[in-house]
Amino acid sequence: MKIIAVANQKGGVGKTTTAVNLAAALAEKHRRVLLIDLDPQGNATSSFGLQEIEGQSLYEPLLGEASVADKILPTRLPDLFLVPADIDLAGVEIEIARMDDHLTRLAKCLRVLREDGTFDFILLDCPPSLGILMTNALAAADELLTPIQCEYFALEGLVRIVRLIERIRASGANARLEMGGILMTMFDNRTNLSSQVVAEVRAHFQERVYDTLIPRTVRLSEAPSFGKCILEHDPNGVGAKAYRALAVEFLRRHEVETEPAQSVIPSAVQRSETESREPVT
Ligand SMILES: Nc1ncnc2c1ncn2[C@@H]1O[C@H](COP(=O)(O)OP(=O)(O)O)[C@@H](O)[C@H]1O
Ligand SMILES: [Mg+2]
């Protein structure tokens, strides 16, 4: 089980769009996914057509007053589950700031889900501000998935994220936090700017950058107003195709060790393969 923080301290870069549609595309591939809406604005929650329900958020679990398991709701997709956000979440920062373990409250909440193996992936849709909720997300996550808009200053934003990761590691809140993947969003193939930005980010961050590019398309931006993910709203459009491709690439990156490649190859073939790979002296 992996916990992925969809994070970038900049707003409007496609965090929520990515968290919602990657979660849906992974669930479509029968991975059990939990999406946690950590943004008090609740955009991921409303993207599924859900109204905010008072008391149905991470607020109580973060304060130690309830289990996160009690806050999980089903969605229309059988393998996708959601912990919604509610307005109380905005106040939780102040309440937990006083606690000694204020950076690791979320990590502790999620421990039960790490241990019971219900989910293959937990995606955290982070708020843009660099507050306690986002820091908690980074302290609880195995790695980040950072959406970056194909715009000027993309690199500057990434440099800030690298520093933030270093700070979290150094603080002791999460020494194992990995940078994870970078996803280029709102790619516009009609402009040179988009391609230039992608080339520049790839030159610096190399294979961290996903091959999959998310195109700019109005279908992705209008889907939430119908309370639908892109797979429901425009299943055959470029947006759905891109997020399905992202899910495939994401799984390739995360499930390599667990792929049963070895066991399906007859042992004789396996042996000759190993032999043929041995250096010729
Ligand atoms: N690939 C895309 N093409 C067009 N619009 C997009 C795309 N991705 C996101 N948007 C829109 O851009 C705005 C910001 O995206 P959002 O995912 O909410 O960003 P964040 O969560 O980082 O603030 C939203 O209105 C969203 O619908
Ligand atoms: Mg958002």
Side-chain angles (χ1 to χ4, degrees), residues 170-218:
S171 76
N174 184 359
R176 300 173 318 151
L177 181 64
E178 302 252 3
M179 168 101 196
I182 295 165
L183 177 68
M184 307 301 301
T185 65
M186 303 187 220
F187 182 83
D188 188 345
N189 60 10
R190 294 164 305 178
T191 69
N192 286 334
L193 175 64
S194 274
S195 308
Q196 281 164 12
V197 173
V198 171
E200 196 183 30
V201 172
R202 285 221 170 105
H204 282 80
F205 288 92
Q206 289 146 21
E207 66 281 359
R208 289 224 177 280
V209 186
Y210 274 92
D211 293 334
T212 308
L213 300 173
I214 306 300
R216 182 182 283 282
T217 156
V218 70

mmCIF file of all heavy atoms in Angstrom, residues 170-218:
data_model
loop_
_atom_site.group_PDB
_atom_site.id
_atom_site.type_symbol
_atom_site.label_atom_id
_atom_site.label_comp_id
_atom_site.label_asym_id
_atom_site.label_seq_id
_atom_site.Cartn_x
_atom_site.Cartn_y
_atom_site.Cartn_z
ATOM 1 N N ALA A 170 14.313 16.451 7.174
ATOM 2 C CA ALA A 170 15.223 16.894 8.230
ATOM 3 C C ALA A 170 14.494 17.050 9.565
ATOM 4 O O ALA A 170 15.084 16.840 10.625
ATOM 5 C CB ALA A 170 15.886 18.206 7.822
ATOM 6 N N SER A 171 13.212 17.403 9.524
ATOM 7 C CA SER A 171 12.460 17.619 10.762
ATOM 8 C C SER A 171 12.240 16.322 11.527
ATOM 9 O O SER A 171 11.847 16.334 12.687
ATOM 10 C CB SER A 171 11.093 18.238 10.455
ATOM 11 O OG SER A 171 10.226 17.242 9.938
ATOM 12 N N GLY A 172 12.445 15.193 10.837
ATOM 13 C CA GLY A 172 12.208 13.909 11.480
ATOM 14 C C GLY A 172 10.759 13.460 11.375
ATOM 15 O O GLY A 172 10.413 12.351 11.755
ATOM 16 N N ALA A 173 9.891 14.318 10.821
ATOM 17 C CA ALA A 173 8.477 13.951 10.698
ATOM 18 C C ALA A 173 8.296 12.810 9.697
ATOM 19 O O ALA A 173 7.371 12.006 9.815
ATOM 20 C CB ALA A 173 7.642 15.163 10.279
ATOM 21 N N ASN A 174 9.159 12.740 8.683
ATOM 22 C CA ASN A 174 9.072 11.668 7.692
ATOM 23 C C ASN A 174 10.391 11.581 6.935
ATOM 24 O O ASN A 174 10.573 12.221 5.895
ATOM 25 C CB ASN A 174 7.907 11.933 6.736
ATOM 26 C CG ASN A 174 7.701 10.802 5.744
ATOM 27 O OD1 ASN A 174 8.433 9.820 5.751
ATOM 28 N ND2 ASN A 174 6.698 10.957 4.898
ATOM 29 N N ALA A 175 11.289 10.775 7.467
ATOM 30 C CA ALA A 175 12.631 10.684 6.875
ATOM 31 C C ALA A 175 12.613 9.963 5.537
ATOM 32 O O ALA A 175 13.542 10.086 4.749
ATOM 33 C CB ALA A 175 13.569 9.968 7.841
ATOM 34 N N ARG A 176 11.527 9.184 5.258
ATOM 35 C CA ARG A 176 11.506 8.366 4.043
ATOM 36 C C ARG A 176 10.754 9.022 2.885
ATOM 37 O O ARG A 176 10.517 8.391 1.858
ATOM 38 C CB ARG A 176 10.861 7.014 4.329
ATOM 39 C CG ARG A 176 11.581 6.184 5.414
ATOM 40 C CD ARG A 176 10.741 4.970 5.719
ATOM 41 N NE ARG A 176 9.329 5.370 5.791
ATOM 42 C CZ ARG A 176 8.312 4.579 5.490
ATOM 43 N NH1 ARG A 176 8.510 3.367 5.078
ATOM 44 N NH2 ARG A 176 7.068 5.014 5.599
ATOM 45 N N LEU A 177 10.345 10.260 3.081
ATOM 46 C CA LEU A 177 9.534 10.908 2.038
ATOM 47 C C LEU A 177 10.312 11.007 0.717
ATOM 48 O O LEU A 177 11.460 11.442 0.694
ATOM 49 C CB LEU A 177 9.126 12.314 2.496
ATOM 50 C CG LEU A 177 8.250 13.108 1.524
ATOM 51 C CD1 LEU A 177 6.902 12.429 1.314
ATOM 52 C CD2 LEU A 177 8.033 14.534 2.031
ATOM 53 N N GLU A 178 9.669 10.577 -0.361
ATOM 54 C CA GLU A 178 10.301 10.620 -1.684
ATOM 55 C C GLU A 178 9.642 11.699 -2.537
ATOM 56 O O GLU A 178 8.466 11.995 -2.372
ATOM 57 C CB GLU A 178 10.107 9.284 -2.403
ATOM 58 C CG GLU A 178 10.661 8.105 -1.643
ATOM 59 C CD GLU A 178 11.921 7.560 -2.286
ATOM 60 O OE1 GLU A 178 12.375 8.142 -3.293
ATOM 61 O OE2 GLU A 178 12.429 6.560 -1.769
ATOM 62 N N MET A 179 10.420 12.210 -3.455
ATOM 63 C CA MET A 179 9.914 13.235 -4.378
ATOM 64 C C MET A 179 8.805 12.673 -5.280
ATOM 65 O O MET A 179 7.874 13.375 -5.653
ATOM 66 C CB MET A 179 11.101 13.707 -5.220
ATOM 67 C CG MET A 179 10.729 14.546 -6.406
ATOM 68 S SD MET A 179 11.001 16.265 -6.004
ATOM 69 C CE MET A 179 10.088 17.080 -7.281
ATOM 70 N N GLY A 180 8.887 11.392 -5.639
ATOM 71 C CA GLY A 180 7.858 10.776 -6.481
ATOM 72 C C GLY A 180 7.861 11.353 -7.884
ATOM 73 O O GLY A 180 8.919 11.698 -8.414
ATOM 74 N N GLY A 181 6.680 11.484 -8.474
ATOM 75 C CA GLY A 181 6.599 11.874 -9.881
ATOM 76 C C GLY A 181 6.157 13.315 -10.078
ATOM 77 O O GLY A 181 5.500 13.900 -9.217
ATOM 78 N N ILE A 182 6.543 13.852 -11.229
ATOM 79 C CA ILE A 182 6.112 15.191 -11.622
ATOM 80 C C ILE A 182 5.211 15.029 -12.846
ATOM 81 O O ILE A 182 5.562 14.303 -13.781
ATOM 82 C CB ILE A 182 7.333 16.066 -11.966
ATOM 83 C CG1 ILE A 182 8.191 16.278 -10.712
ATOM 84 C CG2 ILE A 182 6.901 17.402 -12.580
ATOM 85 C CD1 ILE A 182 9.583 16.811 -11.010
ATOM 86 N N LEU A 183 4.065 15.682 -12.794
ATOM 87 C CA LEU A 183 3.090 15.546 -13.883
ATOM 88 C C LEU A 183 2.853 16.900 -14.538
ATOM 89 O O LEU A 183 2.466 17.862 -13.869
ATOM 90 C CB LEU A 183 1.774 14.992 -13.321
ATOM 91 C CG LEU A 183 0.630 14.867 -14.319
ATOM 92 C CD1 LEU A 183 0.924 13.776 -15.359
ATOM 93 C CD2 LEU A 183 -0.678 14.560 -13.594
ATOM 94 N N MET A 184 3.094 16.975 -15.831
ATOM 95 C CA MET A 184 2.887 18.228 -16.553
ATOM 96 C C MET A 184 1.411 18.318 -16.950
ATOM 97 O O MET A 184 0.891 17.435 -17.643
ATOM 98 C CB MET A 184 3.768 18.274 -17.811
ATOM 99 C CG MET A 184 5.255 18.020 -17.573
ATOM 100 S SD MET A 184 6.064 19.170 -16.443
ATOM 101 C CE MET A 184 5.784 20.728 -17.251
ATOM 102 N N THR A 185 0.745 19.369 -16.488
ATOM 103 C CA THR A 185 -0.695 19.513 -16.744
ATOM 104 C C THR A 185 -0.982 20.716 -17.650
ATOM 105 O O THR A 185 -0.129 21.585 -17.835
ATOM 106 C CB THR A 185 -1.477 19.723 -15.425
ATOM 107 O OG1 THR A 185 -1.068 20.965 -14.857
ATOM 108 C CG2 THR A 185 -1.226 18.613 -14.429
ATOM 109 N N MET A 186 -2.187 20.722 -18.154
ATOM 110 C CA MET A 186 -2.686 21.822 -19.010
ATOM 111 C C MET A 186 -1.749 22.059 -20.186
ATOM 112 O O MET A 186 -1.483 23.201 -20.573
ATOM 113 C CB MET A 186 -2.911 23.092 -18.176
ATOM 114 C CG MET A 186 -3.885 22.815 -17.034
ATOM 115 S SD MET A 186 -4.365 24.267 -16.137
ATOM 116 C CE MET A 186 -4.371 23.622 -14.461
ATOM 117 N N PHE A 187 -1.273 20.952 -20.736
ATOM 118 C CA PHE A 187 -0.377 21.018 -21.890
ATOM 119 C C PHE A 187 -1.183 21.449 -23.107
ATOM 120 O O PHE A 187 -2.236 20.903 -23.399
ATOM 121 C CB PHE A 187 0.252 19.640 -22.139
ATOM 122 C CG PHE A 187 1.220 19.624 -23.283
ATOM 123 C CD1 PHE A 187 2.535 20.023 -23.102
ATOM 124 C CD2 PHE A 187 0.813 19.219 -24.553
ATOM 125 C CE1 PHE A 187 3.434 20.019 -24.157
ATOM 126 C CE2 PHE A 187 1.714 19.211 -25.616
ATOM 127 C CZ PHE A 187 3.014 19.614 -25.414
ATOM 128 N N ASP A 188 -0.649 22.462 -23.808
ATOM 129 C CA ASP A 188 -1.333 22.985 -24.997
ATOM 130 C C ASP A 188 -0.409 22.767 -26.196
ATOM 131 O O ASP A 188 0.596 23.461 -26.338
ATOM 132 C CB ASP A 188 -1.626 24.474 -24.787
ATOM 133 C CG ASP A 188 -2.509 25.032 -25.898
ATOM 134 O OD1 ASP A 188 -2.641 24.366 -26.951
ATOM 135 O OD2 ASP A 188 -3.052 26.138 -25.709
ATOM 136 N N ASN A 189 -0.754 21.802 -27.041
ATOM 137 C CA ASN A 189 0.175 21.492 -28.142
ATOM 138 C C ASN A 189 0.140 22.522 -29.274
ATOM 139 O O ASN A 189 0.885 22.407 -30.239
ATOM 140 C CB ASN A 189 -0.033 20.063 -28.674
ATOM 141 C CG ASN A 189 -1.423 19.852 -29.212
ATOM 142 O OD1 ASN A 189 -2.185 20.808 -29.373
ATOM 143 N ND2 ASN A 189 -1.776 18.600 -29.476
ATOM 144 N N ARG A 190 -0.698 23.539 -29.133
ATOM 145 C CA ARG A 190 -0.700 24.587 -30.155
ATOM 146 C C ARG A 190 0.318 25.682 -29.848
ATOM 147 O O ARG A 190 0.556 26.556 -30.668
ATOM 148 C CB ARG A 190 -2.103 25.219 -30.268
ATOM 149 C CG ARG A 190 -3.155 24.253 -30.798
ATOM 150 C CD ARG A 190 -4.532 24.791 -30.530
ATOM 151 N NE ARG A 190 -4.683 25.082 -29.088
ATOM 152 C CZ ARG A 190 -5.764 25.607 -28.554
ATOM 153 N NH1 ARG A 190 -6.792 25.938 -29.317
ATOM 154 N NH2 ARG A 190 -5.832 25.822 -27.260
ATOM 155 N N THR A 191 0.890 25.637 -28.652
ATOM 156 C CA THR A 191 1.871 26.681 -28.322
ATOM 157 C C THR A 191 3.259 26.077 -28.117
ATOM 158 O O THR A 191 3.389 24.934 -27.673
ATOM 159 C CB THR A 191 1.501 27.409 -27.005
ATOM 160 O OG1 THR A 191 1.673 26.489 -25.920
ATOM 161 C CG2 THR A 191 0.083 27.921 -27.008
ATOM 162 N N ASN A 192 4.282 26.844 -28.455
ATOM 163 C CA ASN A 192 5.649 26.392 -28.207
ATOM 164 C C ASN A 192 5.953 26.408 -26.723
ATOM 165 O O ASN A 192 6.765 25.630 -26.249
ATOM 166 C CB ASN A 192 6.656 27.318 -28.902
ATOM 167 C CG ASN A 192 6.651 27.078 -30.397
ATOM 168 O OD1 ASN A 192 6.310 25.984 -30.853
ATOM 169 N ND2 ASN A 192 7.012 28.095 -31.157
ATOM 170 N N LEU A 193 5.280 27.326 -26.006
ATOM 171 C CA LEU A 193 5.598 27.488 -24.584
ATOM 172 C C LEU A 193 5.466 26.164 -23.847
ATOM 173 O O LEU A 193 6.361 25.759 -23.106
ATOM 174 C CB LEU A 193 4.688 28.552 -23.960
ATOM 175 C CG LEU A 193 4.850 28.706 -22.453
ATOM 176 C CD1 LEU A 193 6.245 29.204 -22.110
ATOM 177 C CD2 LEU A 193 3.800 29.634 -21.859
ATOM 178 N N SER A 194 4.331 25.464 -24.063
ATOM 179 C CA SER A 194 4.109 24.197 -23.362
ATOM 180 C C SER A 194 5.269 23.237 -23.611
ATOM 181 O O SER A 194 5.817 22.651 -22.672
ATOM 182 C CB SER A 194 2.802 23.549 -23.825
ATOM 183 O OG SER A 194 1.715 24.060 -23.086
ATOM 184 N N SER A 195 5.654 23.069 -24.866
ATOM 185 C CA SER A 195 6.733 22.115 -25.192
ATOM 186 C C SER A 195 8.052 22.562 -24.580
ATOM 187 O O SER A 195 8.840 21.732 -24.109
ATOM 188 C CB SER A 195 6.902 21.986 -26.693
ATOM 189 O OG SER A 195 5.666 21.713 -27.274
ATOM 190 N N GLN A 196 8.294 23.885 -24.588
ATOM 191 C CA GLN A 196 9.541 24.399 -23.998
ATOM 192 C C GLN A 196 9.593 24.102 -22.502
ATOM 193 O O GLN A 196 10.626 23.695 -21.972
ATOM 194 C CB GLN A 196 9.651 25.909 -24.219
ATOM 195 C CG GLN A 196 10.112 26.280 -25.617
ATOM 196 C CD GLN A 196 9.829 27.752 -25.940
ATOM 197 O OE1 GLN A 196 9.495 28.540 -25.048
ATOM 198 N NE2 GLN A 196 9.947 28.104 -27.204
ATOM 199 N N VAL A 197 8.458 24.340 -21.843
ATOM 200 C CA VAL A 197 8.427 24.113 -20.391
ATOM 201 C C VAL A 197 8.654 22.633 -20.085
ATOM 202 O O VAL A 197 9.440 22.279 -19.202
ATOM 203 C CB VAL A 197 7.096 24.617 -19.782
ATOM 204 C CG1 VAL A 197 6.991 24.228 -18.316
ATOM 205 C CG2 VAL A 197 6.970 26.121 -19.936
ATOM 206 N N VAL A 198 8.002 21.760 -20.849
ATOM 207 C CA VAL A 198 8.174 20.318 -20.626
ATOM 208 C C VAL A 198 9.641 19.935 -20.822
ATOM 209 O O VAL A 198 10.221 19.220 -19.995
ATOM 210 C CB VAL A 198 7.259 19.496 -21.575
ATOM 211 C CG1 VAL A 198 7.597 18.013 -21.488
ATOM 212 C CG2 VAL A 198 5.800 19.730 -21.220
ATOM 213 N N ALA A 199 10.251 20.448 -21.895
ATOM 214 C CA ALA A 199 11.654 20.111 -22.178
ATOM 215 C C ALA A 199 12.560 20.581 -21.044
ATOM 216 O O ALA A 199 13.468 19.860 -20.612
ATOM 217 C CB ALA A 199 12.074 20.737 -23.506
ATOM 218 N N GLU A 200 12.276 21.771 -20.530
ATOM 219 C CA GLU A 200 13.109 22.333 -19.471
ATOM 220 C C GLU A 200 12.970 21.519 -18.170
ATOM 221 O O GLU A 200 13.961 21.200 -17.518
ATOM 222 C CB GLU A 200 12.672 23.784 -19.240
ATOM 223 C CG GLU A 200 13.667 24.598 -18.464
ATOM 224 C CD GLU A 200 13.152 26.016 -18.206
ATOM 225 O OE1 GLU A 200 11.923 26.210 -18.098
ATOM 226 O OE2 GLU A 200 13.988 26.909 -18.097
ATOM 227 N N VAL A 201 11.731 21.175 -17.833
ATOM 228 C CA VAL A 201 11.505 20.408 -16.600
ATOM 229 C C VAL A 201 12.125 19.013 -16.742
ATOM 230 O O VAL A 201 12.753 18.492 -15.822
ATOM 231 C CB VAL A 201 9.998 20.337 -16.267
ATOM 232 C CG1 VAL A 201 9.735 19.377 -15.104
ATOM 233 C CG2 VAL A 201 9.466 21.729 -15.916
ATOM 234 N N ARG A 202 11.984 18.410 -17.928
ATOM 235 C CA ARG A 202 12.583 17.071 -18.161
ATOM 236 C C ARG A 202 14.109 17.136 -18.062
ATOM 237 O O ARG A 202 14.743 16.211 -17.542
ATOM 238 C CB ARG A 202 12.197 16.544 -19.547
ATOM 239 C CG ARG A 202 10.770 16.062 -19.591
ATOM 240 C CD ARG A 202 10.617 14.765 -20.383
ATOM 241 N NE ARG A 202 9.282 14.235 -20.185
ATOM 242 C CZ ARG A 202 8.316 14.301 -21.098
ATOM 243 N NH1 ARG A 202 8.560 14.821 -22.288
ATOM 244 N NH2 ARG A 202 7.114 13.816 -20.824
ATOM 245 N N ALA A 203 14.701 18.232 -18.554
ATOM 246 C CA ALA A 203 16.160 18.355 -18.522
ATOM 247 C C ALA A 203 16.660 18.340 -17.080
ATOM 248 O O ALA A 203 17.715 17.801 -16.781
ATOM 249 C CB ALA A 203 16.596 19.633 -19.230
ATOM 250 N N HIS A 204 15.881 18.913 -16.170
ATOM 251 C CA HIS A 204 16.307 18.979 -14.770
ATOM 252 C C HIS A 204 15.895 17.761 -13.954
ATOM 253 O O HIS A 204 16.622 17.330 -13.084
ATOM 254 C CB HIS A 204 15.746 20.234 -14.095
ATOM 255 C CG HIS A 204 16.499 21.472 -14.455
ATOM 256 N ND1 HIS A 204 16.292 22.137 -15.638
ATOM 257 C CD2 HIS A 204 17.471 22.126 -13.801
ATOM 258 C CE1 HIS A 204 17.114 23.180 -15.681
ATOM 259 N NE2 HIS A 204 17.829 23.195 -14.584
ATOM 260 N N PHE A 205 14.720 17.263 -14.201
ATOM 261 C CA PHE A 205 14.186 16.214 -13.313
ATOM 262 C C PHE A 205 14.093 14.848 -13.981
ATOM 263 O O PHE A 205 13.669 13.878 -13.356
ATOM 264 C CB PHE A 205 12.828 16.643 -12.751
ATOM 265 C CG PHE A 205 12.949 17.741 -11.731
ATOM 266 C CD1 PHE A 205 12.872 19.065 -12.111
ATOM 267 C CD2 PHE A 205 13.186 17.442 -10.395
ATOM 268 C CE1 PHE A 205 13.012 20.084 -11.177
ATOM 269 C CE2 PHE A 205 13.318 18.450 -9.453
ATOM 270 C CZ PHE A 205 13.230 19.781 -9.841
ATOM 271 N N GLN A 206 14.482 14.788 -15.239
ATOM 272 C CA GLN A 206 14.606 13.535 -15.998
ATOM 273 C C GLN A 206 13.440 12.566 -15.790
ATOM 274 O O GLN A 206 12.297 12.929 -15.994
ATOM 275 C CB GLN A 206 15.952 12.887 -15.691
ATOM 276 C CG GLN A 206 17.072 13.704 -16.320
ATOM 277 C CD GLN A 206 18.334 13.706 -15.528
ATOM 278 O OE1 GLN A 206 18.594 12.849 -14.700
ATOM 279 N NE2 GLN A 206 19.159 14.693 -15.788
ATOM 280 N N GLU A 207 13.767 11.328 -15.364
ATOM 281 C CA GLU A 207 12.712 10.299 -15.378
ATOM 282 C C GLU A 207 11.681 10.483 -14.267
ATOM 283 O O GLU A 207 10.693 9.765 -14.217
ATOM 284 C CB GLU A 207 13.314 8.882 -15.359
ATOM 285 C CG GLU A 207 14.049 8.479 -14.111
ATOM 286 C CD GLU A 207 15.469 9.072 -14.068
ATOM 287 O OE1 GLU A 207 15.887 9.769 -15.011
ATOM 288 O OE2 GLU A 207 16.150 8.848 -13.074
ATOM 289 N N ARG A 208 11.908 11.470 -13.374
ATOM 290 C CA ARG A 208 10.856 11.786 -12.400
ATOM 291 C C ARG A 208 9.602 12.301 -13.105
ATOM 292 O O ARG A 208 8.503 12.185 -12.595
ATOM 293 C CB ARG A 208 11.317 12.899 -11.456
ATOM 294 C CG ARG A 208 12.359 12.466 -10.489
ATOM 295 C CD ARG A 208 12.053 13.004 -9.096
ATOM 296 N NE ARG A 208 13.038 12.523 -8.157
ATOM 297 C CZ ARG A 208 12.996 11.320 -7.621
ATOM 298 N NH1 ARG A 208 12.000 10.511 -7.897
ATOM 299 N NH2 ARG A 208 13.930 10.924 -6.805
ATOM 300 N N VAL A 209 9.784 12.902 -14.258
ATOM 301 C CA VAL A 209 8.659 13.502 -14.986
ATOM 302 C C VAL A 209 7.919 12.397 -15.738
ATOM 303 O O VAL A 209 8.530 11.603 -16.459
ATOM 304 C CB VAL A 209 9.160 14.563 -15.987
ATOM 305 C CG1 VAL A 209 7.985 15.287 -16.634
ATOM 306 C CG2 VAL A 209 10.094 15.555 -15.288
ATOM 307 N N TYR A 210 6.628 12.345 -15.531
ATOM 308 C CA TYR A 210 5.816 11.357 -16.241
ATOM 309 C C TYR A 210 5.864 11.599 -17.747
ATOM 310 O O TYR A 210 5.839 12.748 -18.197
ATOM 311 C CB TYR A 210 4.369 11.430 -15.754
ATOM 312 C CG TYR A 210 4.114 10.580 -14.519
ATOM 313 C CD1 TYR A 210 4.236 11.108 -13.247
ATOM 314 C CD2 TYR A 210 3.765 9.238 -14.655
ATOM 315 C CE1 TYR A 210 4.016 10.322 -12.119
ATOM 316 C CE2 TYR A 210 3.545 8.453 -13.534
ATOM 317 C CZ TYR A 210 3.659 8.992 -12.276
ATOM 318 O OH TYR A 210 3.456 8.208 -11.173
ATOM 319 N N ASP A 211 5.927 10.504 -18.516
ATOM 320 C CA ASP A 211 5.829 10.619 -19.979
ATOM 321 C C ASP A 211 4.455 11.154 -20.357
ATOM 322 O O ASP A 211 4.315 11.900 -21.324
ATOM 323 C CB ASP A 211 6.011 9.234 -20.633
ATOM 324 C CG ASP A 211 7.424 8.706 -20.446
ATOM 325 O OD1 ASP A 211 8.347 9.526 -20.289
ATOM 326 O OD2 ASP A 211 7.593 7.467 -20.435
ATOM 327 N N THR A 212 3.447 10.745 -19.614
ATOM 328 C CA THR A 212 2.081 11.182 -19.901
ATOM 329 C C THR A 212 1.953 12.678 -19.662
ATOM 330 O O THR A 212 2.342 13.178 -18.601
ATOM 331 C CB THR A 212 1.085 10.447 -18.976
ATOM 332 O OG1 THR A 212 1.315 9.052 -19.074
ATOM 333 C CG2 THR A 212 -0.351 10.778 -19.355
ATOM 334 N N LEU A 213 1.422 13.380 -20.647
ATOM 335 C CA LEU A 213 1.124 14.816 -20.505
ATOM 336 C C LEU A 213 -0.386 14.962 -20.403
ATOM 337 O O LEU A 213 -1.123 14.286 -21.126
ATOM 338 C CB LEU A 213 1.619 15.585 -21.732
ATOM 339 C CG LEU A 213 3.118 15.512 -22.047
ATOM 340 C CD1 LEU A 213 3.400 16.179 -23.392
ATOM 341 C CD2 LEU A 213 3.922 16.187 -20.942
ATOM 342 N N ILE A 214 -0.843 15.819 -19.510
ATOM 343 C CA ILE A 214 -2.290 16.058 -19.401
ATOM 344 C C ILE A 214 -2.629 17.284 -20.257
ATOM 345 O O ILE A 214 -2.143 18.384 -19.988
ATOM 346 C CB ILE A 214 -2.717 16.302 -17.937
ATOM 347 C CG1 ILE A 214 -2.245 15.150 -17.028
ATOM 348 C CG2 ILE A 214 -4.230 16.495 -17.867
ATOM 349 C CD1 ILE A 214 -2.784 13.773 -17.370
ATOM 350 N N PRO A 215 -3.425 17.099 -21.291
ATOM 351 C CA PRO A 215 -3.735 18.224 -22.180
ATOM 352 C C PRO A 215 -4.694 19.213 -21.526
ATOM 353 O O PRO A 215 -5.458 18.843 -20.628
ATOM 354 C CB PRO A 215 -4.401 17.548 -23.383
ATOM 355 C CG PRO A 215 -5.020 16.313 -22.825
ATOM 356 C CD PRO A 215 -4.130 15.865 -21.688
ATOM 357 N N ARG A 216 -4.625 20.443 -21.977
ATOM 358 C CA ARG A 216 -5.631 21.420 -21.563
ATOM 359 C C ARG A 216 -6.896 21.137 -22.357
ATOM 360 O O ARG A 216 -6.873 21.120 -23.589
ATOM 361 C CB ARG A 216 -5.141 22.837 -21.868
ATOM 362 C CG ARG A 216 -6.112 23.913 -21.418
ATOM 363 C CD ARG A 216 -5.607 25.292 -21.783
ATOM 364 N NE ARG A 216 -4.550 25.761 -20.906
ATOM 365 C CZ ARG A 216 -4.758 26.248 -19.680
ATOM 366 N NH1 ARG A 216 -5.976 26.319 -19.191
ATOM 367 N NH2 ARG A 216 -3.745 26.646 -18.950
ATOM 368 N N THR A 217 -7.967 20.844 -21.663
ATOM 369 C CA THR A 217 -9.241 20.602 -22.348
ATOM 370 C C THR A 217 -10.395 21.046 -21.455
ATOM 371 O O THR A 217 -10.406 20.777 -20.237
ATOM 372 C CB THR A 217 -9.424 19.116 -22.758
ATOM 373 O OG1 THR A 217 -10.816 18.833 -22.893
ATOM 374 C CG2 THR A 217 -8.846 18.165 -21.728
ATOM 375 N N VAL A 218 -11.348 21.711 -22.074
ATOM 376 C CA VAL A 218 -12.473 22.258 -21.325
ATOM 377 C C VAL A 218 -13.286 21.139 -20.666
ATOM 378 O O VAL A 218 -13.902 21.330 -19.620
ATOM 379 C CB VAL A 218 -13.334 23.154 -22.252
ATOM 380 C CG1 VAL A 218 -14.086 22.329 -23.280
ATOM 381 C CG2 VAL A 218 -14.286 24.016 -21.442
#
